[in-house]
Amino acid sequence: MKYLPFENITYQTKLETEEILNRINEIIEPKKTFRMTGIFGSSDHKPYEGSINGNTFNLTRIISYRNSFLPRIKGDIVKDFGRTKVNVKMRVNTFVIVFMFIWLGGVGIGCLAVLASGFKFGGQNFEPMTLIPFGMLIFGYALVTGGFKYESLKSKKYLAELFEAEIEK
């Protein structure tokens, strides 16, 4: 999963469940449909938006720029032999996953068509235009994974500091 836009992380901390929930509550605000941040918007906001329900939470980082690959963070807090574990799943928005699956699937079919035509007509000269589908496939993958990992690294570090935790390997 290291090279995919999904992450499962387990934080181990000495903090109690209530303390973790209080800390999360201090850094989140309710989700807004329309948020104005950046140059023309307000910078008076907390770092995350989301909700807490029992011992689970849903978070999204508030950013002042567009990133469709921003991780959706879902966490579950469980007690484990005197320590507390926070199991976190970071995922891309479902709509983005579906869109990119369709787009990359179509490009993948184009790559297969180029490969098939190359084997069928083995005697023809190389055309640089035949590399376009492969470039699009690589670009699409890099766009999704890079956009996701850029943001997930920030959230992983922030949550580790917030929970005073170590990431379980």
Side-chain angles (χ1 to χ4, degrees), residues 4-119:
L4 294 175
F6 306 101
E7 292 199 28
N8 295 323
I9 306 144
T10 302
Y11 295 95
Q12 275 198 346
T13 181
K14 294 178 182 176
L15 299 176
E16 293 295 322
T17 303
E18 295 76 26
E19 176 64 20
I20 294 170
L21 291 172
N22 287 338
R23 289 183 181 200
I24 293 171
N25 197 38
E26 289 174 9
I27 63 153
I28 64 171
E29 58 186 57
K31 188 164 181 65
K32 292 183 180 177
T33 305
F34 182 72
R35 179 182 302 275
M36 208 55 186
T37 59
I39 297 172
F40 301 110
S42 170
S43 62
D44 184 31
H45 59 77
K46 295 182 179 180
Y48 288 84
E49 64 182 6
S51 62
I52 299 173
N53 186 11
N55 285 349
T56 63
F57 56 89
N58 292 309
L59 306 174
T60 305
R61 206 162 83 82
I62 299 172
I63 57 176
S64 60
Y65 48 90
R66 285 294 305 155
N67 183 345
S68 298
F69 312 109
L70 188 68
R72 306 293 188 243
I73 303 167
K74 293 183 181 184
D76 184 33
I77 305 167
V78 291
K79 290 297 283 178
D80 185 48
F81 300 111
R83 294 180 66 96
T84 307
K85 284 188 177 183
V86 183
N87 299 313
V88 172
K89 292 183 180 186
M90 293 189 192
R91 304 283 185 264
V92 177
N93 186 326
T94 305
F95 176 76
V96 173
I97 291 172
V98 170
F99 176 81
M100 292 307 294
F101 183 76
I102 293 169
W103 188 68
L104 292 174
V107 172
I109 291 170
C111 290
L112 291 175
V114 167
L115 288 174
S117 69
F119 289 125

Side-chain angles (χ1 to χ4, degrees), residues 99-153:
F99 176 81
M100 292 307 294
F101 183 76
I102 293 169
W103 188 68
L104 292 174
V107 172
I109 291 170
C111 290
L112 291 175
V114 167
L115 288 174
S117 69
F119 289 125
K120 187 176 179 184
F121 306 108
Q124 66 178 314
N125 293 334
F126 171 74
E127 290 289 329
M129 296 294 283
T130 59
L131 296 177
I132 289 175
F134 297 99
M136 289 175 64
L137 191 65
I138 292 168
F139 176 76
Y141 168 77
L143 184 70
V144 174
T145 306
F148 176 83
K149 294 293 182 181
Y150 176 75
E151 293 295 338
S152 73
L153 288 173

